[in-house]
């Protein structure tokens, strides 16, 4: 079969039977999906043989890059030794026990009780239930409301979508459920700060909105506040200076558990093991996934601090919660090796910091482009706001069109950037070299030029 016939064959099968996540199927089926066949380092190849630099590490997850043989080997060895066993009914495996231990060493001090699941959404569902369980055990059953933020993304399950603050994910499913509340403004300076408002004032206004919501609902009814240290899928919003410490102060004042969703930020993405460490806050709960196995196996975890984890671990009754694949041996073995490799390669250390410096310099270098209203970044995360007018921040109409044009050019030119409305986002594998960073930004600049041309000059 020729390459093109093979591509058409796969596209036809896919269009006949496969429902994709977050997709307008009529459009996809009319066009046919791109078929990805192979990955190596920071590059992917499609079924037409085209090489593409993956500036998004898959879905923010392939921290070690593609084709890491040690991870393939450990999966193979573990499957041969113990393909599956569960951690229900008073059993464990060396893989689950060692991974819980290693994660407790990497999380900030005290976050030492670890529960395993298979995805970020499952970890977040688990955390919701454990938070409710904790307050029940404490004899405060009224404390059930969970606060989140507009534009947050916390997953796709019923609880994950309820936690998220993105109305397109909720309206068609009659969500969010009761008990889930969203605070605004979102700490998104470029989009939400008032003209002339200082970064500090904006940070305090965003945090005050949280306090106002707690007071409105009654602190005796509020169980927890969830936040991504850096908001990812909602548009890569970097918190203004002072925001997180003020949020922490408010949570402590009203006895509201502070929950850091580290599904994107965990495992080196912001330069530390966890994003909360970058922002100097000490959460009660951390949820993690993605970079935990660099996406090589579906695995996630919830880490609880001494207070919450201790109350649950000491409860007399059964904790009636768990998944068939909680602590799956193959997934745990791969995650263990992945975390050890991140350590050994200095990716959450000197090598990671050097890549971050080079990446952030390259990102800032795009700010002079006529289409770019702002660049912002932290760690190996970067955002580029596409605007019609740099001075007034006027956006293109309709919203999202400029982002889609740019994303299409990116694929055609051989680099993957994600478009979130008209914000282009980068999140490359942590193993990216300086030369590859330079290549990526050269491609990005070219795509910005092509987008500006299509939009009739910016
Ligand atoms: C911050 C955050 N939380 C939760 C999730 C959900 O993770 P999953 O898609 O593995 O269920 C995501 C996914 O992108 C995420 O970015």
């Amino acid at each position: 079969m020729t390459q093109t016939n093979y591509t058409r064959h796969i596209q036809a099968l896919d269009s006949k039977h496969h429902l994709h996540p977050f997709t307008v199927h009529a459009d996809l089926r009319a066009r046919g999906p791109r078929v990805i066949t192979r990955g190596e380092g920071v590059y992917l190849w499609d079924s037409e043989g085209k090489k593409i630099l993956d500036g998004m590490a898959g879905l923010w997850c392939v921290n070690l890059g593609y084709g890491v043989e040690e991870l393939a080997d450990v999966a193979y060895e573990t499957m041969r030794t113990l393909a599956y066993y569960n951690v229900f009914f008073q059993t464990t495996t060396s893989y689950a026990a060692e991974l819980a231990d290693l994660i407790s060493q990497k999380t900030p001090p005290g976050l030492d009780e670890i529960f395993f699941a298979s995805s970020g959404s499952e970890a977040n569902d688990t955390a919701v239930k454990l938070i409710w369980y904790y307050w029940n055990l404490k004899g405060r059953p009224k404390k059930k409301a969970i606060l989140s933020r507009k534009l947050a993304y916390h997953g796709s399950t019923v609880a994950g979508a309820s936690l998220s603050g993105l109305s397109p994910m909720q309206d068609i499913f009659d969500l969010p459920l009761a008990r889930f509340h969203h605070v605004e403004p979102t700490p998104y300076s470029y989009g939400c700060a008032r003209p002339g408002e200082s970064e500090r004032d904006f940070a305090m206004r965003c945090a005050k909105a949280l306090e106002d919501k707690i007071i409105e609902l009654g602190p005796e009814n509020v169980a927890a506040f969830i936040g991504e240290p850096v908001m990812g899928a909602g548009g890569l919003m970097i918190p203004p200076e002072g925001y997180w410490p003020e949020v922490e102060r408010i949570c402590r004042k009203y006895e509201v558990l502070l929950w850091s969703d580290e599904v994107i930020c965990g495992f080196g993405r912001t330069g530390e093991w966890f994003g909360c460490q970058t922002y100097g806050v000490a959460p009660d709960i951390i949820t993690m996934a993605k970079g935990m196995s660099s996406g090589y196996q579906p695995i996630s975890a919830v880490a609880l601090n001494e207070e919450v984890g201790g109350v649950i671990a000491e409860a007399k009754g059964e904790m009636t919660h768990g998944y068939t694949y909680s602590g799956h041996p193959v997934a745990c073995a791969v995650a263990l090796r992945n975390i050890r490799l991140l350590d050994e390669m200095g990716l959450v250390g000197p090598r990671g910091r050097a890549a971050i410096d080079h990446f952030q310099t390259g990102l800032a270098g795009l700010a002079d482009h006529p289409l770019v209203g702002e660049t912002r970044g932290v760690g190996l995360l970067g955002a580029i706001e596409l605007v019609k007018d740099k001075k007034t921040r006027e956006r293109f109409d309709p919203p999202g069109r400029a982002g889609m044009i740019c994303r299409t050019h990116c694929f055609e030119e051989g680099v993957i950037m994600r478009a979130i409305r008209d914000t282009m986002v980068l999140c490359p594998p942590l193993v990216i070299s300086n030369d590859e960073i330079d290549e990526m930004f050269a491609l990005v600049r070219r795509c910005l030029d092509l987008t500006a041309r299509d939009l009739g000059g910016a």
Side-chain angles (χ1 to χ4, degrees), residues 12 67 152 185 199 228 235 259 271 275 292 322 335 345 348 389 393 434 437 443 448:
E199 185 173 346
E228 306 154 79
W259 166 9
M292 187 174 162
M345 292 166 76
V348 194
D389 188 319
R393 301 187 182 184
N434 285 357
I437 290 173
L443 288 167
L448 293 173

Side-chain angles (χ1 to χ4, degrees), residues 119-121 124 153-155 228 261 263-264 290:
S119 68
S121 301
N124 284 346
Y153 185 76
H154 297 296
E228 306 154 79
D261 179 344
V263 168
I264 287 177
K290 297 190 189 276

Side-chain angles (χ1 to χ4, degrees), residues 127-399:
V128 167
K129 286 176 71 183
L130 296 185
I131 287 164
W132 288 338
Y133 181 41
Y134 165 77
W135 285 119
N136 286 343
L137 288 168
K138 292 287 278 185
R140 300 179 71 182
K142 280 174 66 190
K143 261 182 143 7
K144 289 283 154 50
I146 306 224
L147 308 189
S148 172
R149 299 172 291 182
K150 288 273 185 220
L151 299 182
Y153 185 76
H154 297 296
S156 254
T157 51
V158 170
S162 293
L163 289 164
S164 299
L166 294 160
S167 49
M169 288 178 61
Q170 299 175 327
D171 299 346
I172 60 169
F173 303 112
D174 303 326
L175 293 172
L177 297 179
R179 298 184 175 181
F180 294 86
H181 304 266
H182 300 88
V183 173
E184 54 186 336
T186 301
Y188 169 30
S189 306
Y190 191 78
C192 301
R194 292 177 181 138
E197 190 174 29
S198 73
E199 185 173 346
R200 176 96 198 150
D201 287 351
F202 179 57
M204 293 306 118
R205 184 158 68 88
C206 295
K208 174 84 171 30
L210 169 65
E211 183 163 27
D212 291 346
K213 182 59 89 179
I214 295 172
I215 293 167
E216 178 196 321
L217 296 170
E220 69 283 7
N221 298 317
V222 181
F225 170 71
I226 181 175
E228 306 154 79
V230 177
M231 299 174 77
L236 202 80
M237 282 77 103
I238 295 172
E241 182 73 33
Y243 171 77
W244 272 115
E246 180 64 3
V247 164
E248 183 175 20
R249 187 191 68 75
I250 292 167
C251 287
R252 300 288 166 241
K253 179 172 172 192
Y254 297 102
E255 293 184 282
V256 169
L257 296 174
L258 180 56
W259 166 9
S260 188
D261 179 344
E262 301 268 359
V263 168
I264 287 177
C265 293
F267 301 96
R269 185 50 64 191
T270 66
E272 305 284 341
W273 282 99
F274 291 95
C276 58
Q277 295 164 317
T278 300
Y279 293 102
V281 287
D284 302 294
I285 298 147
I286 288 181
T287 43
M288 64 195 84
K290 297 190 189 276
M292 187 174 162
S293 68
S294 287
Y296 280 63
Q297 283 287 294
I299 185 165
S300 63
V302 183
L304 304 174
N305 72 358
E306 285 154 329
E307 165 60 21
V308 181
V311 166
I312 290 174
E314 282 157 25
K316 297 273 176 288
E318 180 180 351
M319 189 187 83
T320 45
H321 174 82
Y323 309 105
T324 301
Y325 301 128
S326 287
H328 191 292
V330 180
C332 287
V334 170
L336 266 171
R337 186 64 58 89
N338 170 66
I339 297 167
R340 287 180 182 143
L341 283 172
L342 287 171
D343 240 343
E344 284 161 26
M345 292 166 76
L347 289 167
V348 194
R351 179 169 162 191
R353 278 193 290 278
I356 289 169
D357 285 349
H358 200 72
F359 173 82
Q360 291 299 340
T361 305
L363 179 70
L366 296 172
D368 65 354
H369 193 279
L371 204 56
V372 175
E374 177 186 75
T375 62
R376 57 177 177 271
V378 61
L380 278 176
L381 287 165
I384 304 162
E385 295 273 0
L386 306 184
V387 288
K388 194 165 176 191
D389 188 319
K390 281 169 92 83
K391 281 212 182 70
T392 62
R393 301 187 182 184
E394 185 191 346
R395 305 223 178 226
F396 288 100
D397 197 30

